[in-house]
Amino acid sequence: MSEPSATPSSTDPDEGDLPRWLRLRHSPTLKAVVAGLLLAASMPPWGWWPLAFIGIAVLDRLLAGTTWKQRLYRGSMVGWALFTPTVFWIVQLTAPGYVIAVLFFGFLLGAFCIAVPPRAGRALGLIGVWVLCESLRAAWPFGGVPLSMLAVGQVAGPLSAVARIGGVLGMAGVTVALGIALSALSTRQWAKAGALVVVALVVVGVAVVAPNGTPTGKEIDIALVQGGGAQGTRAINTDRRKVFQRHLDASAKVPPGMDLVLWPENVVDTDFAVQKAQEGVELQELARRLDAPLAVGTTEGVSDTRFRNSQQVLDAQGNWGDRYVKVQRVPFGEWVPFRSLIEKVAPDTLASRDATVSHQSGLLRTKAAPLATVISWEVFFGHRARSAVRAGGQLLYNPTNGSTYTGTFVQTQQVANSRLRAIESGRWLAQVAPTGFSAFVSPTGQVHQRTATREQAVRVRRDVPLRTGLTWYTRYGDTPWRLAAAWLLAGAWLLAWFSARKGRSAMERPPRAGA
């Protein structure tokens, strides 16, 4: 896709007041790439969150006074520059899938940018369009791929409290508003910039004083068990017994008297129900030895084409209890969309079996506390944690397995999403992984006792408060923000229509006598 040629009508009246480096006639393609890279750098693992405001400001200038083809091209370029580095880890699942994801999601942003009015109403339109685009990506395709959301970077900054009332969509809206305010300052539109900043400050202020859950008065002692081991491994070429044994060995370090012991996702891998396997017997012995409820991640064979990914509970006497089966599966990791088609071109890169799907809330009952459970990928979805908390969860539990991925790219993104879920729900969160990161996260998003990757470790936190009550986000979800975004976009085009009508009337008005 090449930059459509500019026309005289596509120039922006504000551009003459811009600094030379921001003027659109100086390489809009390069500026679009820079805008996307700035947005990427605001997110983990880099996490330079203020850069998001500059990236949005550059995007706003790029859309000013343009044709729809120019908005499609420039928005797509921004998207491709954003997604190319931030979803690179997908290569370790499927290299062709990575290329397709970058091209598709970048083009999707460009397509949404078409809906931004190029002149009057542009600020409202860009806010609405960005929120609606992120909302769509959180639900489609393949049940949602909510990667590279603005909130993942902003959770490290002063806007984090907004998650309590608006989740990732509310945070995105405020971030875009502040980016447009910066753009307005660059063109000396003081009133516009001031109004946007005031609105953002009001939203942040409301979020700070909004309900944040209520302590139950009960506190529990929790141990997180990380077995350690190499990263960049797959189940197909990993000795599953060694993975299980590492966690048994690490559990020997769990101090006596714990109220709850938590293991990561799918570190117990059996060809059939775990209760019938030797590992099941050893887990029962471990629970009795620790004299504490034990939650473990199990992968159980169901058939030649299906497996079950779940978290299961044993009580302190070694009896099997509650089970939660994962709802939100990783596309191309835990299930393969269009398998019959893709197997013809890339059979060796696909998982041989698909995970089953449940329709459970995510609530996992233990004697110590009801756990709002989000397994691995599910922590990227606000609605999954919300479902489990509304079902009665008083502590968030995120068992995960990032050992497939080398480095800390995925791991840092997951910690950022765990912080978002803790803030959104007003709950403490326990994240535990076989090779890192494992950590505790407070309801304000502070990370405590994070492990390193590959190490064998047990993290103990005493007196973790259990909480009840609903935040505004947990109560109302994303719907109010989707509706607000739609209204902003409609209002933007109404302003654009009035402005165009006023301009035509001024041109058609006959000159006054003697003029």
Side-chain angles (χ1 to χ4, degrees), residues 9-311:
S9 61
S10 69
T11 57
D12 179 36
D14 299 327
E15 192 175 319
D17 295 328
L18 283 171
R20 179 180 177 85
W21 66 276
L22 270 176
R23 295 179 188 173
L24 298 188
R25 64 176 177 268
H26 295 286
S27 186
T29 299
L30 177 60
K31 287 185 174 61
V33 171
V34 169
L37 292 177
L38 288 169
L39 292 171
S42 74
M43 300 176 186
W46 308 285
W48 301 323
W49 57 265
L51 296 182
F53 306 126
I54 305 175
I56 293 295
V58 176
L59 173 60
D60 177 60
R61 302 312 316 157
L62 284 168
L63 300 180
T66 51
T67 65
W68 73 266
K69 291 182 180 179
Q70 289 172 324
R71 295 197 294 281
L72 171 63
Y73 172 78
R74 296 176 185 187
S76 297
M77 288 300 302
V78 171
W80 291 327
L82 163 61
F83 290 108
T84 295
T86 56
V87 302
F88 184 73
W89 56 268
I90 295 178
V91 168
Q92 298 179 62
L93 286 178
T94 163
Y98 164 70
V99 175
I100 293 170
V102 170
L103 292 176
F104 175 76
F105 289 119
F107 183 81
L108 186 67
L109 178 59
F112 268 81
C113 284
I114 295 174
V116 178
R119 295 181 181 81
R122 190 174 70 249
L124 298 182
L126 183 52
I127 296 170
V129 155
W130 193 284
V131 171
L132 290 173
C133 185
E134 287 203 351
S135 176
L136 178 64
R137 290 199 290 113
W140 179 84
F142 312 132
V145 187
L147 301 173
S148 307
M149 303 291 217
L150 284 181
V152 176
Q154 296 306 308
V155 72
L159 301 184
S160 60
V162 176
R164 192 176 304 143
I165 64 172
V168 297
L169 300 185
M171 291 181 69
V174 175
T175 303
V176 174
L178 290 173
I180 297 171
L182 183 61
S183 171
L185 285 175
S186 72
T187 56
R188 302 181 181 86
Q189 299 176 77
W190 313 119
K192 178 179 177 181
L196 289 166
V197 169
V198 167
V199 170
L201 289 175
V202 169
V203 173
V204 173
V206 170
V208 169
V209 300
N212 191 29
T214 305
T216 63
K218 181 180 178 181
E219 299 176 337
I220 61 174
D221 300 335
I222 301 175
L224 308 181
V225 178
Q226 177 174 304
Q231 292 183 282
T233 61
R234 291 174 177 266
I236 193 171
N237 54 17
T238 300
D239 186 336
R240 59 187 180 182
R241 179 64 199 184
K242 286 184 178 179
V243 175
F244 177 72
Q245 190 64 50
R246 288 191 193 107
H247 287 80
L248 278 182
D249 295 342
S251 295
K253 304 173 186 177
V254 174
M258 302 305 297
D259 296 309
L260 188 60
V261 179
L262 302 178
W263 275 30
E265 176 194 25
N266 58 40
V267 292
V268 186
D269 190 348
T270 57
D271 294 326
F272 38 81
V274 66
Q275 287 82 1
K276 299 178 181 179
Q278 176 61 30
E279 287 83 359
V281 174
E282 292 173 274
L283 287 169
Q284 289 179 299
E285 293 172 351
L286 175 64
R288 288 191 287 266
R289 187 166 66 250
L290 295 176
D291 191 27
L294 174 64
V296 299
T298 59
T299 300
E300 300 165 297
V302 175
S303 70
D304 291 340
T305 59
R306 298 280 177 179
F307 70 93
R308 181 171 51 238
N309 184 356
S310 65
Q311 294 299 126

Side-chain angles (χ1 to χ4, degrees), residues 226-496:
Q226 177 174 304
Q231 292 183 282
T233 61
R234 291 174 177 266
I236 193 171
N237 54 17
T238 300
D239 186 336
R240 59 187 180 182
R241 179 64 199 184
K242 286 184 178 179
V243 175
F244 177 72
Q245 190 64 50
R246 288 191 193 107
H247 287 80
L248 278 182
D249 295 342
S251 295
K253 304 173 186 177
V254 174
M258 302 305 297
D259 296 309
L260 188 60
V261 179
L262 302 178
W263 275 30
E265 176 194 25
N266 58 40
V267 292
V268 186
D269 190 348
T270 57
D271 294 326
F272 38 81
V274 66
Q275 287 82 1
K276 299 178 181 179
Q278 176 61 30
E279 287 83 359
V281 174
E282 292 173 274
L283 287 169
Q284 289 179 299
E285 293 172 351
L286 175 64
R288 288 191 287 266
R289 187 166 66 250
L290 295 176
D291 191 27
L294 174 64
V296 299
T298 59
T299 300
E300 300 165 297
V302 175
S303 70
D304 291 340
T305 59
R306 298 280 177 179
F307 70 93
R308 181 171 51 238
N309 184 356
S310 65
Q311 294 299 126
Q312 301 192 54
V313 173
L314 299 95
D315 65 20
Q317 289 73 47
N319 301 309
W320 291 95
D322 206 3
R323 177 210 296 267
Y324 166 59
V325 179
K326 192 173 184 180
V327 174
Q328 205 83 34
R329 301 173 299 172
V330 181
F332 301 101
E334 293 175 312
W335 72 290
V336 181
F338 315 117
R339 178 183 286 275
S340 60
L341 175 64
I342 297 176
E343 278 182 335
K344 296 177 181 179
V345 295
D348 297 333
T349 65
L350 303 179
S352 60
R353 299 182 298 173
D354 291 338
T356 61
V357 180
S358 82
H359 301 283
Q360 296 173 264
S361 66
L363 186 68
L364 192 63
R365 297 169 183 86
T366 74
K367 183 178 179 181
L371 306 180
T373 307
V374 284
I375 300 177
S376 191
W377 173 240
E378 292 183 322
V379 83
F380 287 76
F381 296 82
H383 68 86
R384 289 306 312 150
R386 179 171 174 257
S387 169
V389 168
R390 287 174 64 90
Q394 297 178 2
L395 173 78
L396 280 171
Y397 172 33
N398 175 225
T400 186
N401 185 355
S403 58
T404 300
Y405 312 102
T406 56
T408 60
F409 206 118
V410 173
Q411 289 81 354
T412 53
Q413 290 187 358
Q414 185 154 12
V415 168
N417 277 277
S418 289
R419 296 175 70 182
L420 285 168
R421 303 294 87 82
I423 298 169
E424 288 170 354
S425 62
R427 299 291 191 272
W428 275 86
L429 180 145
Q431 176 178 315
V432 56
T435 60
F437 297 128
S438 302
F440 294 94
V441 183
S442 76
T444 58
Q446 300 301 309
V447 179
H448 301 270
Q449 297 174 253
R450 195 183 79 173
T451 61
T453 55
R454 301 184 297 277
E455 73 167 318
Q456 186 175 95
V458 170
R459 289 290 185 266
V460 174
R461 189 164 188 87
R462 305 282 183 177
D463 305 326
V464 177
L466 301 180
R467 298 172 69 85
T468 187
L470 302 179
T471 63
W472 287 359
Y473 177 76
T474 307
R475 188 179 298 278
Y476 302 112
D478 294 315
T479 299
W481 298 89
R482 292 180 179 131
L483 292 174
W487 278 107
L488 284 176
L489 185 56
W493 280 103
L494 189 62
L495 282 175

